[in-house]
Coordinates of all heavy atoms in Angstrom, one line a residue:
Chain A
L257 N 115.8 129.7 166.8 CA 114.8 129.0 167.5 C 115.4 128.3 168.8 O 114.9 128.4 169.8 CB 114.2 127.9 166.7 CG 113.0 128.4 165.8 CD1 112.5 127.2 165.0 CD2 111.9 128.9 166.7
A258 N 116.5 127.6 168.5 CA 117.1 126.8 169.6 C 118.4 126.3 169.1 O 118.8 126.5 168.0 CB 116.2 125.6 169.9
E259 N 119.2 125.8 170.1 CA 120.4 125.0 169.7 C 120.0 123.6 169.4 O 119.3 122.9 170.2 CB 121.4 125.1 170.8 CG 122.7 124.4 170.4 CD 123.9 124.8 171.2 OE1 124.5 125.8 170.7 OE2 124.1 124.3 172.3
L260 N 120.3 123.2 168.2 CA 119.8 121.9 167.7 C 121.0 120.9 167.8 O 122.1 121.3 167.4 CB 119.3 122.0 166.3 CG 118.2 123.0 166.1 CD1 117.9 123.2 164.6 CD2 116.9 122.5 166.9
R261 N 120.7 119.6 168.1 CA 121.8 118.7 168.2 C 121.5 117.6 167.2 O 120.4 117.2 166.9 CB 121.8 118.1 169.6 CG 122.0 119.1 170.7 CD 122.2 118.5 172.0 NE 123.4 117.7 172.0 CZ 124.1 117.3 173.2 NH1 123.6 117.8 174.3 NH2 125.2 116.6 173.1
G262 N 122.6 117.0 166.7 CA 122.5 116.0 165.7 C 123.8 115.8 164.9 O 124.7 116.6 165.1
D263 N 123.8 114.8 164.0 CA 125.0 114.6 163.3 C 125.1 115.7 162.2 O 124.2 116.1 161.6 CB 125.0 113.3 162.6 CG 125.1 112.1 163.6 OD1 125.6 112.4 164.7 OD2 124.6 111.0 163.3
L264 N 126.4 116.2 162.0 CA 126.6 117.2 161.0 C 127.4 116.6 159.8 O 128.2 115.7 160.0 CB 127.4 118.4 161.6 CG 126.7 119.1 162.7 CD1 127.5 120.3 163.2 CD2 125.3 119.6 162.4
P265 N 127.3 117.2 158.7 CA 128.1 116.7 157.6 C 129.6 117.0 157.9 O 129.9 117.9 158.6 CB 127.6 117.5 156.4 CG 126.7 118.6 156.9 CD 126.4 118.3 158.3
A266 N 130.4 116.1 157.3 CA 131.8 116.3 157.5 C 132.3 117.6 156.9 O 131.8 118.1 156.0 CB 132.6 115.1 156.9
G267 N 133.4 118.1 157.5 CA 134.0 119.3 157.0 C 133.5 120.6 157.5 O 133.9 121.7 157.1
L268 N 132.6 120.5 158.4 CA 132.0 121.7 159.0 C 132.7 122.0 160.3 O 133.0 121.1 161.1 CB 130.5 121.6 159.3 CG 129.6 121.7 158.0 CD1 128.2 121.6 158.5 CD2 129.8 123.1 157.4
N269 N 133.1 123.2 160.5 CA 133.8 123.6 161.7 C 133.0 124.6 162.5 O 132.1 125.3 162.0 CB 135.2 124.3 161.4 CG 136.1 123.3 160.6 OD1 136.3 122.2 161.1 ND2 136.6 123.8 159.5
P270 N 133.2 124.6 163.8 CA 132.4 125.5 164.6 C 132.6 126.9 164.1 O 133.7 127.3 163.7 CB 133.1 125.4 166.0 CG 133.7 124.0 166.0 CD 134.1 123.7 164.6
G271 N 131.5 127.7 164.1 CA 131.5 129.0 163.5 C 131.0 129.1 162.1 O 130.7 130.2 161.6
D272 N 131.0 128.0 161.4 CA 130.6 128.0 160.0 C 129.1 128.3 159.9 O 128.3 127.8 160.6 CB 130.9 126.6 159.3 CG 132.3 126.4 159.0 OD1 133.1 127.4 159.2 OD2 132.7 125.3 158.6
P273 N 128.8 129.1 158.9 CA 127.3 129.4 158.7 C 126.7 128.2 158.0 O 127.3 127.7 157.0 CB 127.3 130.6 157.8 CG 128.6 130.6 157.1 CD 129.6 129.9 158.0
V274 N 125.5 127.8 158.4 CA 124.8 126.6 157.8 C 123.3 127.0 157.7 O 122.9 128.0 158.1 CB 125.0 125.4 158.7 CG1 126.4 124.9 158.7 CG2 124.5 125.6 160.1
E275 N 122.6 126.0 157.0 CA 121.2 126.1 157.0 C 120.6 124.8 157.4 O 121.1 123.7 157.1 CB 120.7 126.4 155.5 CG 120.9 127.9 155.1 CD 120.6 128.2 153.7 OE1 120.9 127.3 152.8 OE2 119.9 129.2 153.5
V276 N 119.5 124.9 158.2 CA 118.9 123.7 158.7 C 117.5 123.6 158.1 O 116.7 124.5 158.0 CB 118.8 123.8 160.3 CG1 118.1 122.5 160.8 CG2 120.1 124.1 160.9
L277 N 117.2 122.4 157.6 CA 115.9 122.1 157.0 C 114.8 121.9 158.1 O 115.0 121.1 159.0 CB 115.9 120.8 156.2 CG 114.5 120.4 155.6 CD1 114.0 121.4 154.6 CD2 114.6 119.0 155.0
I278 N 113.8 122.8 158.1 CA 112.7 122.6 159.1 C 111.4 122.2 158.3 O 111.0 123.0 157.4 CB 112.4 124.0 159.8 CG1 113.7 124.6 160.4 CG2 111.4 123.8 160.9 CD1 114.2 123.9 161.6
R279 N 110.9 121.0 158.6 CA 109.6 120.6 158.0 C 108.5 121.1 158.8 O 108.7 121.3 160.1 CB 109.6 119.1 157.9 CG 110.6 118.4 157.1 CD 110.3 118.5 155.6 NE 111.1 117.6 154.8 CZ 111.3 117.8 153.5 NH1 110.8 118.8 152.9 NH2 112.1 116.9 152.8
P280 N 107.3 121.3 158.3 CA 106.2 121.7 159.1 C 105.9 120.8 160.3 O 105.6 121.3 161.4 CB 105.0 121.6 158.1 CG 105.6 121.7 156.8 CD 106.9 121.1 156.9
D281 N 106.2 119.5 160.1 CA 105.9 118.6 161.3 C 107.1 118.6 162.3 O 107.0 118.0 163.3 CB 105.7 117.2 160.8 CG 106.7 116.7 159.8 OD1 107.1 117.6 158.9 OD2 107.1 115.6 159.8
D282 N 108.2 119.3 162.0 CA 109.2 119.5 163.0 C 108.9 120.6 164.0 O 109.4 120.6 165.1 CB 110.5 119.9 162.3 CG 111.1 118.8 161.4 OD1 110.8 117.6 161.7 OD2 111.8 119.1 160.5
L283 N 108.0 121.5 163.6 CA 107.7 122.6 164.4 C 106.3 122.4 165.0 O 105.3 122.3 164.4 CB 107.6 123.8 163.5 CG 107.9 125.2 164.2 CD1 109.2 125.2 164.9 CD2 107.8 126.3 163.1
V284 N 106.2 122.2 166.4 CA 105.0 121.8 167.0 C 104.4 123.0 167.7 O 105.1 123.8 168.4 CB 105.2 120.7 168.0 CG1 103.9 120.3 168.7 CG2 105.8 119.5 167.3
H285 N 103.1 123.2 167.5 CA 102.4 124.3 168.2 C 102.2 124.0 169.7 O 101.8 122.9 170.0 CB 101.1 124.5 167.5 CG 100.2 125.5 168.2 ND1 100.7 126.7 168.8 CD2 98.9 125.4 168.5 CE1 99.7 127.3 169.3 NE2 98.6 126.6 169.2
D286 N 102.7 124.9 170.5 CA 102.6 124.6 172.0 C 102.3 125.9 172.7 O 103.2 126.7 172.8 CB 104.0 124.0 172.4 CG 104.0 123.7 173.9 OD1 103.0 123.9 174.6 OD2 105.1 123.3 174.3
D287 N 101.1 126.0 173.2 CA 100.7 127.2 173.8 C 101.5 127.6 175.0 O 101.7 128.7 175.4 CB 99.2 127.2 174.2 CG 98.3 127.3 173.0 OD1 98.7 127.9 172.0 OD2 97.2 126.7 173.1

Side-chain angles (χ1 to χ4, degrees):
Chain A
L257 273 180
E259 181 155 270
L260 305 169
R261 303 186 62 158
D263 293 336
L264 300 184
L268 284 179
N269 298 310
D272 284 352
V274 292
E275 285 177 317
V276 182
L277 174 67
I278 310 286
R279 298 282 195 199
D281 48 322
D282 292 334
L283 205 58
V284 179
H285 171 44
D286 176 5
D287 286 331

